[in-house]
Amino acid sequence: MADRDRDTKEADRAAPEGGVTARRRRRAQFLRELHEARELRDRVQPRRARAARMRQQMRMRTFRW
């Protein structure tokens, strides 16, 4: 984890401010952390996670294309 943070900081210094690659790297890191947080929440609260899955399935069933 620390190696990845160090790599991103070094790459941010090398890339121009507001560059597309820096934005994509930050977005990818954010999405990784979001996915990790969701997995942790699902493990800790299995009943709530199951209810959320059921609600999502219902939403998809009733969605009109």
Side-chain angles (χ1 to χ4, degrees):
M1 184 86 174
D3 292 335
R4 185 172 60 199
D5 292 340
R6 188 178 62 239
D7 292 342
T8 57
K9 287 178 185 175
E10 290 173 1
D12 284 343
R13 273 188 253 123
E17 193 70 71
V20 175
T21 55
R23 180 184 162 278
R24 286 184 179 162
R25 187 172 33 260
R26 286 191 310 268
R27 182 175 186 273
Q29 182 178 2
F30 170 77
L31 292 174
R32 274 193 304 269
E33 290 173 356
L34 180 66
H35 184 69
E36 183 180 335
R38 284 183 178 159
E39 285 181 346
L40 176 63
R41 187 183 62 207
D42 290 350
R43 264 198 321 267
V44 172
Q45 301 174 336
R47 185 180 299 167
R48 187 175 291 179
R50 182 174 185 269
R53 277 195 310 273
M54 295 300 204
R55 282 193 302 274
Q56 177 66 18
Q57 288 173 358
M58 186 60 72
R59 255 185 257 129
M60 294 309 288
R61 268 186 246 137
T62 59
F63 184 77
R64 289 180 171 231
W65 296 99

